[in-house]
Amino acid sequence: MHASSITDQSATILGIESSCDETALAIIKGNQNNTPLILAENMFSQIESHAPYGGVVPEIAARAHAEKIPLLLNDIIVKANINLSDIDAICATSEPGLIGGVLVGLMVAKGLCVAHNKPLIAVNHLEGHALSPRITQNVEFPYLLLLASGGHCQILIVYGVGHYELLGTTIDDSAGEAFDKVAKMLGIGFPGGPAVEQYAQSGDPKAFKLPRPLTNIETPNFSFSGLKTAVLRVIEKHQEHNQTINKHDLCASFQAAISDCFINRMKIAMTLFKQKTNLYHGRCVVAGGVAANMFIRSKLEILCQHQNFDFFAPPLKYCTDNGVMIAYAGLQRFLKGDRSPLDYKAKARSPLGV
Ligand code: KG4
Ligand code: ZN
């Protein structure tokens, strides 16, 4: 019998994240109805290996996860000062993501489950992001969520663990992808989001006129490929005329365009949220890698004030991929009684709320 059956609320959970270019592990402990105790966490970022290619190379990512997970696991067990036998459940990202990396993390989790007779919990990476504000704050359900990462851009209502309603999604690129591509076009670094944000700080957001795609449409969907192409045109035009482009101004203009799209779409989503939940005073969360952008956070916070919503965002280190969010989502699944079979299949795609 697992210790968990006696004190479920205080279960100790191991989480493994390997769906993209961060190898991240964490051990957390449930804490009644409060935020969890984080016993140990660590992360190895593969950025240096992928930077020369200007994007994540799946094969390199999978090999790096296979190399690093055992080392990180040893390290957090020491830091948390526990044995693997003290852990109540082992969780790993099982979907969506780059399949090689996901398979590596999930296989490690399965092996540990067999070796130590522990339950497996397969975690949807997007659920990890969706619940991430609750790692450090008591954000009550339901809340409106803007999930903006490298792979996804969605607006959802989070009614509870495992209960999501999709209100809108991107019809082409994600916002994070657009940030990364614009940074690549300008040659300012990888990953693109932080580089663009840094350049934008000293730029004029009105310097370049860029489109705000889909902002006249009632459904709160997004489209960013046209915006990306518009940035490319600006760069090409400058090259044709042998003019030096002001990268700071272009980054600021691009970031403002993304932010305007978010604000416009979220305003519509807020009306839908109020209609669907009958709440006059709402709660709004931004999560995922793009939520680390302080300009975007501040604009969303202002929108929330105007629309009578409380605004929440995870701490910066839990916006981008991390092991704690996988352990936390796994803990919530564990407390609901969910367990995954040992032949659970990793998936490259697995949307929330559909
Ligand atoms: O959530 P995440 O770590 O990975 C996925 O699940 O995709 O998100 C990574 C994405 C990248 O596209 C990265 O450029 C973007 O988040 N990002 C940012 C910032 N920090 C990371 N985008 C805008 N501003 C930032 N400060
Ligand atoms: Zn992510």
Side-chain angles (χ1 to χ4, degrees), residues 17 19-20 125-126 129 147 149-151 288-289 319-322 325:
E17 159 58 29
S19 67
C20 194
H125 179 87
L126 299 176
H129 280 304
L147 200 173
S149 67
C319 289
T320 44
D321 292 347
N322 62 89
M325 73 178 193

